[in-house]
Amino acid sequence: MAKGIRASHILVGSEKDAQKIMDRLEKGEDFAALAKRFSKCPSKSKGGDLGWFGKGQMVKEFEDAAFAAPEGKPVGPVKTEFGYHIILVTGTK
């Protein structure tokens, strides 16, 4: 099991908006470009990159989804107290 992961995310306010972004990703659009355009998180300036993190550093719903996600395949929408996330795991260690 991964001790730490590196992930990017796109945070939006509604499940509908998150699903629209997932549809665009499935058609091959660039994750970082979509993050810069649509995410409400300050990480959007880095294409949604949150860097490396371990267990206990993110809210539970986000952490559970991120640690269960396959590397390189976007997952979501994941609902947290902050809104709806699309998560892309970019590395594991």
Side-chain angles (χ1 to χ4, degrees), residues 9 50 53 58-66 78 80 85 87:
H9 80 139
L50 297 169
F53 57 90
M58 300 289 177
V59 294
K60 181 171 179 8
E61 301 90 343
F62 186 96
E63 177 183 293
D64 289 350
V78 176
T80 71
H85 307 260
I87 304 167

Side-chain angles (χ1 to χ4, degrees), residues 6-93:
R6 183 173 191 165
S8 297
H9 80 139
I10 301 170
L11 174 64
V12 294
S14 76
E15 189 171 9
K16 184 178 175 187
D17 288 345
Q19 194 54 60
K20 283 182 187 172
I21 292 168
M22 278 298 285
D23 293 344
R24 292 174 76 151
L25 288 167
E26 285 166 16
K27 290 178 183 155
E29 287 197 49
D30 181 65
F31 191 96
L34 290 171
K36 286 177 181 171
R37 185 166 170 199
F38 295 109
S39 186
K40 294 181 176 181
C41 180
S43 69
K44 74 181 194 175
S45 65
K46 297 179 285 187
D49 184 24
L50 297 169
W52 290 94
F53 57 90
K55 295 269 188 174
Q57 292 184 266
M58 300 289 177
V59 294
K60 181 171 179 8
E61 301 90 343
F62 186 96
E63 177 183 293
D64 289 350
F67 275 86
E71 190 172 333
K73 182 167 177 17
V75 296
V78 176
K79 186 179 191 313
T80 71
E81 63 195 90
F82 302 105
Y84 292 84
H85 307 260
I86 308 290
I87 304 167
L88 179 66
V89 175
T90 57
T92 57
K93 59 181 177 182

